[in-house]
Amino acid sequence: MNGLDPILHHPTRLTVLAFLSGCQEAEFSVVRDYCQVSDSVLSKTAAGLEEAGHLRARKGYVGKRPRTWLAATAHGRAALAAHLAALQQLAAAAEAAGAEPRPAGGSAEG
């Protein structure tokens, strides 16, 4: 179906990008805690989203402590919006198909 982004089929990637779409950027630990994943899972997820152009990572320091901030890119925000719209269309089509009258004597099983 048009609009579905194969990168965003994975629930963790979808959750990370959806969270980041609501802010300018977020510190790695905040995203990790919100998504309830480990550091390694978020690191791999962020790397995949960054490779796809959906996310950018910025490294820096707070005092002497290294930090990483994550942000959705314009491309990532557009991909998320298209993906969500495609999911809504899919749900609406399924609902419409389920509301169609069935022929008499027809089986509900396919």
Side-chain angles (χ1 to χ4, degrees):
M1 174 170 239
N2 269 346
L4 287 175
D5 185 331
I7 300 287
L8 298 179
H9 279 304
H10 191 279
T12 304
R13 288 187 214 128
L14 180 60
T15 303
V16 167
L17 194 58
F19 178 77
L20 292 173
S21 73
C23 56
Q24 280 193 316
E25 71 177 6
E27 191 174 335
F28 185 93
S29 63
V30 173
V31 179
R32 178 200 62 212
D33 293 348
Y34 176 82
C35 296
Q36 299 178 352
V37 295
S38 66
D39 285 353
S40 64
V41 167
L42 180 55
S43 181
K44 289 176 186 176
T45 299
L49 288 168
E50 190 171 28
E51 186 176 312
H54 292 354
L55 172 149
R56 70 172 168 75
R58 180 176 66 86
K59 296 190 181 281
Y61 288 86
V62 174
K64 292 185 178 186
R65 295 179 181 253
R67 294 286 189 258
T68 301
W69 292 270
L70 305 174
T73 62
H75 174 75
R77 291 173 194 275
L80 177 63
H83 188 77
L84 294 175
L87 287 173
Q88 289 175 328
Q89 287 177 342
L90 184 62
E95 186 176 334
E100 291 178 5
R102 299 196 184 275
S107 172
E109 297 179 29

